[in-house]
């Protein structure tokens, strides 16, 4: 049974930082591209960042480029999202996801999802 468990969310002031983690089990982690998505209240789930299985390639949504960094540790079956210079508009529930194919920006390209961790950025 595949499980993706996110952690590290919370309440932070604007300009602050958080580091999200996603621990994977039940799959060959190093064979999967990994992505982070977020969903704000009343909005659709949107792409944030993705990383290839080897960590050789990354992709970011334009609004987080230069502020967020995705990384992975295949020995620990964990993917991370370092979020710096947080803004109130980053407030959302953040989800990690695993994809067997090439990493992409559409939710349909991902096979497995975590339950999410909430991030609230106060102004």
């Amino acid at each position: 049974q595949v499980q993706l468990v996110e952690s590290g969310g919370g309440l932070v002031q604007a300009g602050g930082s958080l580091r999200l983690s996603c621990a994977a089990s039940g799959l060959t982690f190093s064979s999967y591209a990994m992505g982070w998505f977020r969903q704000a209240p009343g909005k659709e789930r949107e792409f944030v960042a993705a990383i290839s299985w080897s960590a050789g390639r990354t992709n970011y949504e334009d609004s987080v480029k230069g502020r967020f960094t995705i990384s992975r540790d295949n020995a620990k079956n964990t993917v991370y999202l370092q979020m710096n210079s947080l803004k109130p508009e980053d407030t959302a529930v953040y989800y990690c996801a695993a994809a067997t194919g090439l990493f992409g920006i559409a939710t349909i390209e991902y096979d497995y999802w975590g339950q999410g961790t909430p991030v609230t950025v106060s102004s």
Side-chain angles (χ1 to χ4, degrees), residues 49-123:
I51 188 167
S52 62
W53 64 271
S54 67
R57 294 177 62 190
T58 57
N59 189 22
Y60 296 92
E61 193 271 330
D62 285 346
S63 71
V64 307
K65 283 181 181 177
R67 300 189 299 123
F68 291 10
T69 302
I70 188 170
S71 62
R72 66 189 296 161
D73 185 338
N74 287 346
K76 294 183 178 180
N77 287 2
T78 302
V79 62
Y80 305 97
L81 186 67
Q82 178 66 45
M83 305 187 296
N84 299 328
S85 302
L86 282 160
K87 304 175 181 180
E89 51 264 44
D90 294 319
T91 295
V93 176
Y94 283 72
Y95 299 88
C96 73
T100 54
L102 294 175
F103 66 100
I105 65 172
T107 58
I108 197 172
E109 297 177 84
Y110 288 80
D111 305 287
Y112 303 106
W113 292 84
Q115 303 239 358
T117 185
V119 171
T120 302
V121 184
S122 62
S123 57

